[in-house]
Amino acid sequence: MNKETLIEVHNRVKPYIHRTPVLTSGLINDIVGAKVYFKCENFQKMGAFKMRGAANAILSLSEVSRNKGVVTHSSGNFAQALSLAANKIGVDAFIVMPKNAPQVKKNAVKGYGGNIIESESTPVAREEMANKVRRDTGATFIHPSNDDDVILGQGTAAIELLEEQPNLDCIFTPVGGGGLIAGTALVAKYFSNKCKVIGGEPTNADDAFRSLQSGKIEYNETTNTIADGLRTNLGDRNFPIIKTEVECIILVNEEDIIEAMQLVWERMKIIIEPSSAVAFAALLKEKEKFKNKTIGIIVSGGNVDVTNLPF
Amino acid sequence: MNKETLIEVHNRVKPYIHRTPVLTSGLINDIVGAKVYFKCENFQKMGAFKMRGAANAILSLSEVSRNKGVVTHSSGNFAQALSLAANKIGVDAFIVMPKNAPQVKKNAVKGYGGNIIESESTPVAREEMANKVRRDTGATFIHPSNDDDVILGQGTAAIELLEEQPNLDCIFTPVGGGGLIAGTALVAKYFSNKCKVIGGEPTNADDAFRSLQSGKIEYNETTNTIADGLRTNLGDRNFPIIKTEVECIILVNEEDIIEAMQLVWERMKIIIEPSSAVAFAALLKEKEKFKNKTIGIIVSGGNVDVTNLPF
C-alpha cells in the first residue's frame, strides 16, 4: 500500500461519485470548542459514502468478471450503492435480501437497477443464497465492508477532505463493518503526517471497541441501537488495518446519538442518519480532549425515514 | 438604481454573511425535467436570507444613527437577523415582540444579542411600542421587508447565484412581505439579460397574487398556511418593483408545499422550512412550462421545529 495506489483508486471512482462539500458551522465550533469540518457524504449519490467502495470494487474487476455481474447480501446502504454503481458502470448487480425486508428498501434497490434475490432472513440463509447466485451466474461476491477494494474506495472521502483541510489533527468516522474507518485510516497515514483517526461506536453495538481491547475480532451479542448501519462486525481484511492505524474508539449511548443528530439537523440544516451522528456524538462526548484542535468528521450518510424520527 | 449600487451593497454585507453553496440533485432534475440550482440560504447565518437585508440596513445608517441602535417588530426570522447583524456590527437592536410569543423565539433573539421589548399582540400595539422605543432611544426603525436597504440586501443572494450560474432562465423565490422577491427582481434585471423572476405563494395567503392582478396592494383575509414566513403583505417600497419586474406569481396549496418540502428533505438531505418549499412547489406545479430550462431557486431558510413536522 502507498499513496499512489490511493490516488489511483480516487481517480478511478471520480467519474462515478460526487465530490461532496465540506461544511462548517460557527455555532457547532463554539459548542465543541474546536474547528470542525463535516465531509458531507450524506450528499453522495444514493445518500451515503458506500457508493465509493462499491464503485471501486466493480471497477477493479477484470472485463471478463465484470460481464458476469456482482452479488452481495445487504438490505442497507450497500445494497443500494452496489446497484447504482453497477448500473452506472453497466454490469448486473444481484442483491440478496431477506424476504421480510421493508418494501421501501426493496424499492430503492430496484429503483437503482439492482436485481433482488429473496432469501430467508438468517445470516446463513443469506450467505447460502449469495453462494448459489455466484455459482449460477458467475457473478463476483462483493462484501459490504470486508473487501480490500471496498476499503480503499471508502477512503477516498478522506482524500478529498484532506485536500481541502490538510491540517486536520484527526478525523472521526462511525464504525460499523469497518470498511470506512479502515480506508480513512490508510488515507490519513499516507496523506498526512499528523492526522489521527478515531472511531465512534454505539455502546449497544461495541464489537469494534472490544476488538481493539482484546486484539481479536469480537462479536455483538445485542445490536439494539438506532444506528442501524453500525450493527455489523469487523472482518479479517479491515481489522488488521484498524488495529494498527486507528487511534481509539469512543463509545456513545443512544441518547448521545439522538442529541448529536438533532444538533446537526437544527444548527447545520442538513439531514444526517443516526449512524453518521455517532461520529459527531463521540467528539461531543470527549470534547475537552479536542479543545482548539482541527477536526474532520465523515458524515457517512443521510438515508433517514423523515416521517419517523427519534425526536 | 443600477448594477454598481447592487455590487456596492454586496461588498458592504459580505463580511457579515456566508456565501452559501448552490446545490443540485440529479434526481430532482429528472423529476422536474429541467436543471435546477438551489441557492441554500438555509445555510445562511441564523438560518435565513434575512441576515443579508438586516446587515445592509444597519450598515447603510450614518455613524450617529448606528450608535443609537435599531428597532423592529417581528417574532420571526427578521427579529433574529436584526439581532445578529446588530450584534456583529456592534450596535443595539430592540426587538418588539408580543408577550405571548413562543419562548423558543424569545430565546433565539436573546441568544443573538437582541433586546426584547414586550408588547400586546395586536399589530397596532406592536407598532405603538416600536414608536415608543424609537422616541425613547433614538433608534432607527427597520421594517422587515418594506425598506429600500433591506430589499437591496436580500437581492445579494441572487447576485451570488447568477455569478455561479449566469445562464439562468428564471429564479423562483417565495413571496411573503415582498423584500426577497423585489431584491431578486432588481438583481435579475441588472445582472442578466434574460433571467425572469417568478414568485411562489400559498393559495391560503395569496395577497401578492391578487395585488399583481388588481395593480394595488391587496391584503390577506386569512393566513391559514404552514408557510408562516409568508403571511405578511406587500408594502409601498417593494410593490412598485414587484409590479414592473416580476414575471408572475404561482399559487400552491398546503399539500403542494408539504410534498415539495418532503421531496427536498429526502432527495437533497437538506432542511428547508415550509416557506422555502413554496418556491420549489410553484416550479413543480408548473413544471411542464419550464421543461429543459435552467432554473434557480432561492431556498430562503431552514428554521424548522424538527420535533414537529407536517409529514
Side-chain angles (χ1 to χ4, degrees):
Chain A
M1 178 53 47
N2 55 39
K3 190 172 176 176
E4 283 60 43
T5 305
L6 288 159
I7 292 171
E8 254 172 52
V9 168
H10 193 209
N11 288 333
R12 186 182 303 138
V13 299
K14 266 182 193 168
Y16 301 94
I17 60 168
H18 288 313
R19 186 178 177 110
T20 54
V22 175
L23 298 182
T24 62
S25 156
L27 286 163
I28 298 269
N29 288 348
D30 289 347
I31 290 167
V32 178
K35 281 188 227 152
V36 190
Y37 295 90
F38 293 83
K39 174 66 173 168
C40 287
E41 290 294 296
N42 51 334
F43 296 160
Q44 188 51 265
K45 284 180 201 279
M46 55 64 56
F49 73 95
K50 301 234 170 186
M51 185 64 188
R52 296 173 180 270
N56 189 48
I58 299 173
L59 292 166
S60 301
L61 295 176
S62 69
E63 196 71 19
V64 173
S65 295
R66 270 197 225 182
N67 290 339
K68 293 179 179 164
V70 290
V71 55
T72 196
H73 49 70
S74 159
S75 50
N77 281 333
F78 193 73
Q80 298 179 36
L82 197 69
S83 300
L84 181 59
N87 191 339
K88 291 207 171 288
I89 296 165
V91 315
D92 289 326
F94 303 100
I95 313 293
V96 176
M97 290 180 94
K99 273 182 192 160
N100 59 0
Q103 193 59 41
V104 58
K105 295 204 170 183
K106 292 184 188 171
N107 290 346
V109 165
K110 278 186 210 160
Y112 288 126
N115 304 291
I116 295 175
I117 318 284
E118 292 194 335
S119 77
E120 299 300 324
S121 66
T122 65
V124 172
R126 294 169 70 178
E127 212 162 304
E128 276 176 6
M129 184 58 83
N131 279 328
K132 182 176 179 322
V133 172
R134 194 163 53 163
R135 283 195 308 270
D136 291 352
T137 63
T140 303
F141 179 74
I142 298 182
H143 191 280
S145 54
N146 197 40
D147 175 296
D148 291 353
D149 296 311
V150 170
I151 292 167
L152 297 180
Q154 314 303 31
T156 59
I159 294 178
E160 295 170 12
L161 177 55
L162 280 164
E163 275 174 7
E164 288 191 39
Q165 296 297 332
N167 290 318
L168 293 181
D169 295 305
C170 51
I171 299 177
F172 281 71
T173 80
V175 187
L180 176 63
I181 195 165
T184 304
L186 287 176
V187 165
K189 178 177 181 174
Y190 291 107
F191 286 72
S192 165
N193 53 17
K194 66 168 178 172
C195 182
K196 293 177 168 43
V197 171
I198 294 168
E201 194 177 33
T203 305
N204 288 1
D206 65 347
D207 59 300
F209 178 85
R210 286 185 287 108
S211 301
L212 275 193
Q213 283 193 319
S214 71
K216 62 188 175 55
I217 297 173
E218 304 285 348
Y219 296 87
N220 288 311
E221 277 159 27
T222 62
T223 54
N224 185 23
T225 176
I226 189 176
D228 56 357
L230 310 185
R231 293 172 185 158
T232 43
N233 50 265
L234 306 178
D236 62 342
R237 302 306 308 165
N238 56 49
F239 181 56
I241 301 167
I242 295 169
K243 198 158 67 169
T244 54
E245 308 300 343
V246 168
E247 178 75 3
C248 67
I249 290 176
I250 296 170
L251 296 178
V252 292
N253 61 34
E254 298 300 296
E255 294 72 42
D256 297 332
I257 298 169
I258 294 168
E259 262 177 43
M261 180 171 156
Q262 188 172 347
L263 187 61
V264 169
W265 283 46
E266 289 180 343
R267 301 303 173 100
M268 297 190 67
K269 316 298 181 191
I270 61 173
I271 289 176
I272 68 170
E273 59 190 46
S275 301
S276 300
V278 167
F280 181 50
L283 170 59
L284 282 174
K285 190 170 174 197
E286 303 275 348
K287 65 181 181 180
E288 294 309 321
K289 287 191 191 153
F290 298 96
K291 254 212 156 29
N292 301 318
K293 298 284 185 192
T294 305
I295 294 164
I297 292 186
I298 310 282
V299 176
S300 50
N303 291 332
V304 185
D305 178 358
V306 300
T307 66
N308 181 21
L309 297 174
F311 39 71
Chain B
M1 179 53 49
N2 55 39
K3 189 172 176 176
E4 284 60 44
T5 306
L6 287 159
I7 291 171
E8 254 172 50
V9 169
H10 194 210
N11 288 332
R12 186 183 302 138
V13 299
K14 266 182 193 168
Y16 300 94
I17 60 168
H18 288 312
R19 185 178 177 110
T20 55
V22 175
L23 298 183
T24 62
S25 156
L27 286 163
I28 297 269
N29 288 348
D30 288 346
I31 290 167
V32 177
K35 280 189 227 154
V36 191
Y37 295 91
F38 292 82
K39 174 66 172 169
C40 287
E41 290 295 296
N42 50 335
F43 296 160
Q44 189 50 266
K45 284 181 201 277
M46 55 63 59
F49 73 94
K50 302 233 169 187
M51 185 65 188
R52 297 174 181 269
N56 189 49
I58 298 173
L59 293 166
S60 301
L61 296 176
S62 70
E63 196 71 19
V64 173
S65 295
R66 270 197 225 181
N67 289 339
K68 293 179 180 165
V70 290
V71 55
T72 196
H73 49 70
S74 159
S75 50
N77 281 333
F78 193 73
Q80 298 179 35
L82 197 69
S83 299
L84 182 59
N87 190 338
K88 293 211 170 282
I89 296 165
V91 315
D92 289 326
F94 303 101
I95 312 294
V96 177
M97 290 180 94
K99 273 182 193 161
N100 59 359
Q103 193 61 40
V104 58
K105 295 205 170 182
K106 293 184 186 170
N107 289 347
V109 165
K110 278 186 209 159
Y112 289 126
N115 304 290
I116 295 174
I117 318 284
E118 291 194 335
S119 77
E120 299 301 324
S121 64
T122 65
V124 172
R126 294 169 69 177
E127 211 163 306
E128 276 175 8
M129 184 57 83
N131 278 328
K132 184 176 178 321
V133 172
R134 194 162 54 162
R135 285 193 307 271
D136 292 353
T137 63
T140 303
F141 178 75
I142 298 182
H143 191 280
S145 54
N146 197 40
D147 176 294
D148 291 352
D149 296 312
V150 169
I151 292 167
L152 296 180
Q154 313 304 30
T156 59
I159 294 178
E160 295 170 12
L161 177 55
L162 280 164
E163 275 174 8
E164 288 190 38
Q165 296 298 332
N167 289 318
L168 293 181
D169 295 304
C170 50
I171 299 177
F172 281 71
T173 81
V175 187
L180 177 62
I181 196 165
T184 304
L186 287 176
V187 166
K189 178 177 181 173
Y190 292 106
F191 286 73
S192 166
N193 53 17
K194 65 167 180 173
C195 182
K196 294 177 167 43
V197 171
I198 295 168
E201 195 177 33
T203 305
N204 288 1
D206 65 348
D207 58 301
F209 179 84
R210 285 184 289 108
S211 301
L212 275 193
Q213 283 192 317
S214 71
K216 62 186 175 54
I217 297 173
E218 305 285 348
Y219 297 87
N220 288 311
E221 278 160 26
T222 61
T223 54
N224 185 24
T225 175
I226 190 177
D228 56 355
L230 310 185
R231 292 171 186 160
T232 44
N233 51 266
L234 306 179
D236 62 341
R237 303 307 307 165
N238 57 49
F239 181 55
I241 301 168
I242 294 169
K243 199 159 63 171
T244 54
E245 308 299 343
V246 168
E247 178 76 3
C248 67
I249 290 177
I250 296 169
L251 296 179
V252 291
N253 62 34
E254 298 300 297
E255 294 73 43
D256 297 332
I257 298 168
I258 294 168
E259 262 176 44
M261 180 170 156
Q262 187 171 348
L263 187 62
V264 169
W265 283 46
E266 289 181 344
R267 300 304 173 101
M268 297 189 67
K269 316 297 181 189
I270 61 174
I271 290 175
I272 68 170
E273 58 191 48
S275 302
S276 300
V278 167
F280 181 51
L283 170 60
L284 281 174
K285 191 172 173 193
E286 303 274 348
K287 66 180 180 181
E288 295 309 321
K289 287 192 191 152
F290 298 95
K291 250 207 159 36
N292 301 320
K293 297 283 185 191
T294 304
I295 295 165
I297 292 186
I298 310 281
V299 177
S300 51
N303 291 332
V304 184
D305 179 357
V306 298
T307 67
N308 182 20
L309 296 174
F311 39 71

